[in-house]
Amino acid sequence: MQTTTPIFKTNHVERETKLHAVAMEVPIVDIQNLNVSARKTQILKNINIIIPKNSITVLLGPSGCGKTTLLKCLNRLTDLYSDLHLTGSIKIDGDDILNTKIDITHIRQKMGLLLQKPYPLPMSIYENIAYGLRLKGIRKRSVISEKVEKHLKEVALWDEVKDRLKSSAQKLSIGQQQRLCLARGLAVEPEIILADEPTSALDPISSRVIEEEFLKLRNDYTIIHVTHILRQARRLADYVVFMYYGEIVEYGPADEIFETPKPDILKEYMKVGH
Amino acid sequence: MTLRRKLEEKIFRVLSALFTLIVVLVLVHIIWSIVEKGMSSLSWQMISQEPKGGFYFGKEGGILNAIAGSFYLAVAATVLAFVISLPVALFMNIYLIKYQRLLISIRFFLDVLWGVPSIVYGAFGFTLMMYFGLRNSLGAATLTVAAMIAPIMIRAMDEVLKTIPIGLQEAAYALGSTKTETAYKVFFREALPGFATAILLAFGRGIGDAASVLFTAGYTDYIPRSFGEPTATLPLAIFFQLGSPIEEVQNRAYAAAIVLTFIVLCISVAARLLYRLRKN
Ligand SMILES: Nc1ncnc2c1ncn2[C@@H]1O[C@H](COP(=O)(O)OP(=O)(O)O)[C@@H](O)[C@H]1O
Ligand SMILES: [Mg+2]
């Protein structure tokens, strides 16, 4: 942990300028001085980043560096874990979600979530997508059916399931389930998509569908994508946040970062991960 | 493998097989002695008629009053226990998920309640009944049995809910669900196949228990028509008839035991079938 501190320091000024470069873009997520600790151990240390609208920001770093925790802070799923203690602020569309009186369910509806494994709801394929729509107050059958079809087509699942919309979503293959989870997230019409290594359990074809979908969606959505796979980060990222032991070591536009990696630890990560 | 480990493996295997055999033999023996003594008295008349005059001296009649009473009682108590248990089990696994240490204490407390002998529930039910000035009745027995089986049902449901991965909870919240919606629209459905087992487990305990209804149900030769009337139950029918000096009446007790065992057996088989059906 000590070794990372100097790297962080030498790049501090540069990092600040990059922060400003990125800040020129329209920010949608603005994290300031975020610290997360679990009892005595600090999981995230002084996180300061701005995530610009309508782009893909990749959180990159080795396992255990805090990527998942950072992602869960954004829609406050950290509430589920009593031992996590958060300080600092996270502004989403200007609302500080850590210190807000706004209903957390509304904030969560702004963000679609894809986890490492798909978790289809225990209901039919159709109902999986209708569920979130009904929570938003959409009741009209025709509207719901229309949206179900639209979003299943969006994730290239419609042709595979159109004849069995009423059957259990849990009977789909893992790859199909993950695409369904993406579809149900999109149906709620979020602004942000949070994805935590969404392809790690998938076959290559389903992985590619998800990646291609992300590339298509980036013009309309802000995608925050967690991965430890360097090649995937290169394929997807507009911006990269490189994390190591709970700290942000490097941060900025992807092409800059990958062409001239500065911190030693990132160079090493890129060498090993090629 | 060394000789020692081979020997170890062999001894352990033989011991396990031996104990399994003993358990099975004891069970077969119990069932056999019930069937042997009761089979001769088992008849259609016995399960289709209420007791006639002189039934308890070996004359005409049957135990339909006890069969019906036990069913009414077990169904009512199970429904009541379910209505109490469902919110408690969901509350534990949704709202209290953050407080793992508190949960451990609650689970321990429920396990203690599970282990409390049913006669204690019977005495407790009786005290309550006297306090409220009620008489022996189906209603009083329902309350007592529900109190007895609720901890079983809560813990059995809790065990099912515990296995649901936290990812499903996160997915439900991410779609904008409140805690209540997550509990009743997502967790409830996910756990339903497992709940069937929990319900039938509690039902089986409720229909077979004698001590909890000893002071509260009363006993009657008639099928109860309301919760205010006393009711006969199968376990008490067995208990009272077994106390008779007349051999024919004693055999009828064993016949009633066959009926009760058969019902409980059907319930466990149904529980398993239902579980498998729901899973596929
Ligand atoms: N609820 C928690 N309580 C205690 N420690 C946690 C908790 N969640 C995560 N951690 C710890 O925080 C560190 C970062 O975890 P995580 O965010 O899952 O990393 P990553 O997603 O980068 O692999 C790990 O060391 C993990 O053990
Ligand atoms: Mg992770």
Side-chain angles (χ1 to χ4, degrees), chain A residues 137-250:
Chain A
I138 300 171
R139 295 265 161 232
K140 247 182 122 180
R141 279 257 184 91
S142 56
V143 177
I144 291 177
S145 296
E146 202 176 287
K147 287 194 185 241
V148 168
E149 180 171 343
K150 176 180 160 208
H151 293 290
L152 283 175
K153 279 183 174 157
E154 205 169 6
V155 299
L157 199 57
W158 176 252
D159 289 329
E160 290 163 57
V161 302
K162 63 169 184 277
D163 300 324
R164 48 175 174 144
L165 290 175
K166 295 270 178 279
S167 75
S168 164
Q170 293 173 334
K171 282 188 195 142
L172 295 171
S173 76
I174 298 288
Q176 290 172 323
Q177 287 183 10
Q178 190 67 303
R179 280 182 275 155
L180 178 65
C181 289
L182 179 58
R184 106 189 146 187
L186 293 173
V188 184
E189 288 173 357
E191 296 166 33
I192 303 172
I193 295 167
L194 307 174
D196 187 1
E197 307 192 21
T199 62
S200 62
L202 304 192
D203 61 278
I205 293 174
S206 297
S207 299
R208 206 178 60 198
V209 172
I210 300 264
E211 279 190 28
E212 280 170 359
E213 189 54 33
F214 278 7
L215 290 173
K216 260 188 271 167
L217 291 171
R218 85 163 124 198
N219 297 323
D220 305 312
Y221 297 87
T222 307
I223 299 171
I224 306 174
H225 180 96
V226 165
T227 186
H228 64 266
I229 307 164
L230 193 66
R231 264 186 281 178
Q232 192 175 52
R234 280 178 185 273
R235 284 195 295 267
L236 294 178
D238 294 314
Y239 298 94
V240 175
V241 177
F242 184 72
M243 297 176 68
Y244 196 67
Y245 279 114
E247 286 182 84
I248 291 176
V249 177
E250 180 65 308

Side-chain angles (χ1 to χ4, degrees), chain B residues 86-88 90 179-189:
Chain B
L86 181 68
V88 174
L90 285 171
K179 286 196 164 111
T180 310
E181 283 156 351
T182 305
Y184 289 91
K185 292 190 174 151
V186 178
F187 264 47
F188 176 69
R189 287 202 205 192

Side-chain angles (χ1 to χ4, degrees), chain B residues 1 6-7 93 99 101 139 148 180 196 198 202 209 227 255 259 263:
Chain B
M1 261 198 285
K6 268 189 190 159
L7 205 67
N93 285 278
Y99 309 102
R101 252 179 257 145
M148 181 186 76
T180 310
D209 195 76
F227 282 107
V259 174
I263 292 171

Side-chain angles (χ1 to χ4, degrees), chain B residues 54-153:
Chain B
F55 176 71
Y56 300 101
F57 301 103
K59 299 255 174 62
E60 300 263 283
I63 51 162
L64 183 63
N65 61 329
I67 296 173
S70 266
F71 260 107
Y72 289 166
L73 175 61
V75 169
T78 304
V79 169
L80 184 60
F82 180 78
V83 170
I84 298 164
S85 302
L86 181 68
V88 174
L90 285 171
F91 186 81
M92 285 168 65
N93 285 278
I94 300 276
Y95 289 84
L96 298 184
I97 192 80
K98 280 186 78 163
Y99 309 102
Q100 284 296 328
R101 252 179 257 145
L102 175 65
L103 271 180
I104 290 172
S105 319
I106 294 175
R107 286 183 179 130
F108 175 74
F109 178 68
L110 288 168
D111 287 342
V112 170
L113 284 183
W114 186 332
V116 168
S118 53
I119 190 80
V120 177
Y121 286 101
F124 174 69
F126 180 70
T127 320
L128 273 188
M129 202 176 75
M130 296 311 279
Y131 182 80
F132 287 111
L134 300 171
R135 62 174 184 144
N136 286 337
S137 60
L138 178 59
T142 297
L143 291 176
T144 311
V145 174
M148 181 186 76
I149 63 177
I152 299 173
M153 215 191 270

